[in-house]
Amino acid sequence: MSDDLARARELLSGAARVLVFTGAGASAESGVPTFRGPGGLWRSFRADQLATPQAFARDPRVVWEWYGWRRWIVAGCRPNLAHVALGRWMLAREGITLVTQNVDDLHERGALEAAAALGVSAARAAPIRLHGSLFHVRCTACAERAEHRDPIDAAGEATLPHCQSCASLLRPDVVWFGEPLPEDALRSAFAAAREAAVCLVVGTSGAVHPAAAVVHQTLGAGGSVIVVDPGETAYDDMATARLWGAAGDVVPRLLDAGPGGGRGD
Ligand code: OAD
């Protein structure tokens, strides 16, 4: 680990641009379930019954109930040391783009904590979201999109969130299986990944495309990959530095090191 940690720090300190790519593992220590590992959501729930447009068309009440439950879990969680360290790093350095597959808001809240401590605005640390947001909705009929944080009452279809413009049913503004990713977000993420000298991957299995291909954009343009994850990922063979461990432990050790190596490891 310590060889890889030193190599990773060196790669990051020499990079003019860095792309940080995160997945569910970045939020695991905050108490948000991942999808595929032990305790992962897809071990207990069926994606085809909860996270597809067909499932929503068949039974919006059940789908909303599930997203309401996930919202409730995240609302009760706090950003962990990895979210805060990433926020602090992005606010202190130029040239870092954060791309996340996560639908929670913990990167934003981690950056807000870091910004408050530094007395600066958190705007620069805003992530590009590839899979949408648990706390946003969009209309099933018109172009309306909005932030929406209220608890979900899924007692019946009438109590579900409805559009203020056209009164149609609202849906979670997340990407479901079989749906395209938001075009602008994907284009910006791929462009930033190609410009990056290093892609720092934190807590994703790399199982879901096209999001997973962000990493290949950096590699294809001649950049390097650093992987932080306690389990195996699709990127292990491509990593120049492989840091086996939990994000909340490894990310601060990687990013908070002062000039000349900082904390001993
Ligand atoms: P996965 O559940 O597939 O992978 C989570 C990764 O986090 C695994 O590699 C774990 O080893 C790792 N992990 C677990 N605990 C960790 C910790 N404390 N620190 C760091 N890493 C840890 O989740 P994603 O890769 O995010 O998409 O899944 C990708 C997409 O699949 C999600 O965005 C979601 C899902 O279906 C949609 O819903 C469209």
Side-chain angles (χ1 to χ4, degrees), residues 23-258:
S27 297
E29 288 152 272
S30 294
V32 183
T34 61
F35 291 95
R36 294 176 180 76
L41 291 172
W42 297 148
R43 297 255 175 121
S44 326
F45 297 97
R46 284 185 51 180
D48 62 334
Q49 289 178 2
L50 295 167
T52 64
Q54 293 79 6
F56 190 74
R58 205 164 43 235
D59 195 345
R61 210 191 53 75
V62 165
V63 173
W64 257 124
E65 194 165 38
W66 194 63
Y67 279 92
W69 171 69
R70 289 181 59 197
R71 235 187 221 192
W72 173 79
I73 291 178
V74 170
C77 291
R78 294 200 41 180
N80 64 50
L81 294 175
H83 297 116
V84 180
L86 281 167
R88 188 162 48 234
W89 192 56
M90 292 180 75
L91 297 173
R93 251 187 81 157
E94 303 276 340
I96 302 160
T97 304
L98 174 60
V99 175
T100 190
Q101 300 162 91
N102 296 344
V103 292
D104 63 49
D105 59 353
L106 293 169
H107 280 305
E108 286 93 335
R109 287 199 267 146
L112 279 173
E113 273 187 30
L118 294 167
V120 298
S121 151
R124 192 157 100 193
I128 296 176
R129 301 185 152 280
L130 292 182
H131 288 165
S133 156
L134 276 181
F135 298 102
H136 287 77
V137 289
R138 67 183 150 102
C139 183
T140 53
C142 75
E144 187 75 9
R145 287 185 126 102
E147 188 172 359
H148 187 286
R149 291 185 170 267
D150 300 340
I152 300 302
D153 179 352
E157 203 160 321
T159 63
L160 296 177
H162 283 76
C163 182
Q164 297 202 333
S165 305
C166 75
S168 300
L169 188 61
L170 292 168
R171 56 164 278 181
D173 197 0
V174 297
V175 175
W176 283 327
F177 289 100
E179 292 187 317
L181 271 57
E183 234 174 82
D184 285 357
L186 190 62
R187 195 179 315 111
S188 308
F190 276 16
R194 282 191 295 270
E195 285 173 11
V198 179
C199 182
L200 170 60
V201 183
V202 181
T204 176
S205 60
V208 175
H209 282 265
V214 161
V215 179
H216 300 90
Q217 302 298 308
T218 302
L219 272 176
S224 310
V225 173
I226 300 169
V227 175
V228 178
D229 198 300
E232 290 181 2
T233 78
Y235 307 117
D236 294 347
D237 293 343
M238 310 164 196
T240 303
R242 179 59 169 96
L243 305 174
W244 297 88
D249 172 38
V250 178
V251 171
R253 283 205 281 151
L254 175 61
L255 302 183
D256 288 344

